[in-house]
Amino acid sequence: MQLLDQVEYRRVETGEDMEEVARIRYKAYKAGAVMHLGDDSPLLIDEVDFDSHAYVFGIYYEERLISTVRLHHVTPEHRVTSSGKVFPDEITAFLDAGMSLIDPVRLAADPEIWSEMPAIPYLTLRLATMATDYFQTDRCLQMVKPAHSAFYKRVFDADFVASPKSNQGKFIIDLMLMATRVKEVLPKLYERFPFFKSEPFERRMMFDRSGDPLTVRPTARLAHFGSSRIQINPASIIG
């Protein structure tokens, strides 16, 4: 909660902000040896970043970009998804069953501050829980390194979906697929980790594309404690 007080979320749609996000991706993937990267292509931007159901976010701490994630809202009618390129049969099975999905990918954090702020995954993945709430989806996917599977099981009660695969596109690492049963898990998640909570107006500002992108302050404290906990001294507002 204390860290969230210094955090801002921004949906990225301008070219300048997208380049800044891409630089964080490059630094993170190079430091973690995640994929093959050529020195001639330092900016990792692809056409899927601009899909109508893709939402790219920057997470800012004290006005500094510290991490980023791209969220896909995947439906039976709109099947653009990054995880589906690696696990097409499993994703197709979800969609053919009529399910809707949130697919968080391109998660990257600035390696220069990762060791100083181990809460970065929580601050970043909070956006995925907000998206599942806003779009009322059935599953939240996790395409992750096998070594990270225990984290997603422990925090998000994610189910195993598909065994690790190697040599997928540019990826150097093995990738496996997990998925959280959102409607069952979210209430328990909010009890255990109240900083994942959000107010409806925060979710609307993040994902409603009818207006311009906004810089949004997290509402977890308000959602958890409620407005009744906010005390105002009348003397302070009397001239």
Side-chain angles (χ1 to χ4, degrees):
M1 287 290 192
Q2 291 176 342
L3 283 175
L4 277 177
D5 289 340
Q6 306 300 321
V7 164
E8 294 178 339
Y9 294 118
R10 185 183 305 163
R11 194 173 75 236
V12 176
E13 294 187 349
T14 68
E16 183 177 346
D17 284 344
M18 188 67 78
E19 288 186 1
E20 189 179 12
V21 162
R23 290 189 185 96
I24 291 289
R25 290 176 180 175
Y26 184 83
K27 289 170 63 176
Y29 299 160
K30 191 173 184 67
V34 171
M35 61 175 61
H36 296 288
L37 297 170
D39 291 334
D40 58 338
S41 57
L43 299 181
L44 287 170
I45 304 174
D46 58 39
E47 69 280 359
V48 185
D49 283 311
F50 306 97
D51 180 75
S52 62
H53 281 217
Y55 299 81
V56 179
F57 289 99
I59 295 84
Y60 294 80
Y61 181 76
E62 296 181 341
E63 301 184 355
R64 176 183 177 182
L65 180 64
I66 62 171
S67 66
T68 178
V69 66
R70 184 172 78 202
L71 305 175
H72 293 275
H73 177 213
V74 191
T75 68
E77 298 76 29
H78 192 96
R79 301 191 173 207
V80 177
T81 166
S82 294
S83 294
K85 296 178 181 179
V86 180
F87 298 98
D89 294 340
E90 290 80 4
I91 302 302
T92 297
F94 281 134
L95 298 174
D96 286 351
M99 294 186 186
S100 58
L101 317 168
I102 292 297
D103 185 18
V105 295
R106 288 287 195 263
L107 196 157
D110 188 337
E112 295 178 10
I113 64 170
W114 179 273
S115 60
E116 303 171 13
M117 194 179 295
I120 286 179
Y122 296 93
L123 300 174
T124 308
L125 291 170
R126 180 175 177 268
L127 288 163
T129 66
M130 291 171 58
T132 60
D133 240 348
Y134 181 81
F135 293 108
Q136 291 294 292
T137 56
D138 299 289
R139 296 287 187 276
C140 185
L141 304 177
Q142 296 98 9
M143 185 172 67
V144 299
K145 296 167 62 174
H148 293 168
S149 62
F151 167 82
Y152 287 92
K153 179 63 179 176
R154 182 179 72 254
V155 176
F156 298 102
D157 197 15
D159 298 319
F160 168 83
V161 176
S163 299
K165 289 186 176 182
S166 304
N167 303 316
Q168 297 297 310
K170 291 186 176 182
F171 286 103
I172 300 170
I173 59 174
D174 290 349
L175 293 168
M176 64 182 291
L177 186 65
M178 306 177 76
T180 296
R181 291 160 281 111
V182 172
K183 293 171 184 177
E184 177 183 335
V185 170
L186 271 191
K188 295 183 289 186
L189 178 73
Y190 291 152
E191 276 189 35
R192 295 172 57 215
F193 303 107
F195 53 81
F196 281 125
K197 290 181 178 180
S198 60
E199 288 288 293
F201 72 85
E202 182 189 358
R203 299 192 292 271
R204 186 169 59 252
M205 288 191 293
M206 298 297 287
F207 299 105
D208 184 353
R209 279 196 159 127
S210 61
D212 293 332
L214 300 171
T215 297
V216 180
R217 285 292 183 90
T219 59
R221 189 182 295 278
L222 176 61
H224 182 57
F225 294 112
S227 58
S228 62
R229 289 294 191 93
I230 301 176
Q231 304 275 335
I232 297 178
N233 181 359
S236 68
I237 59 174
I238 297 176

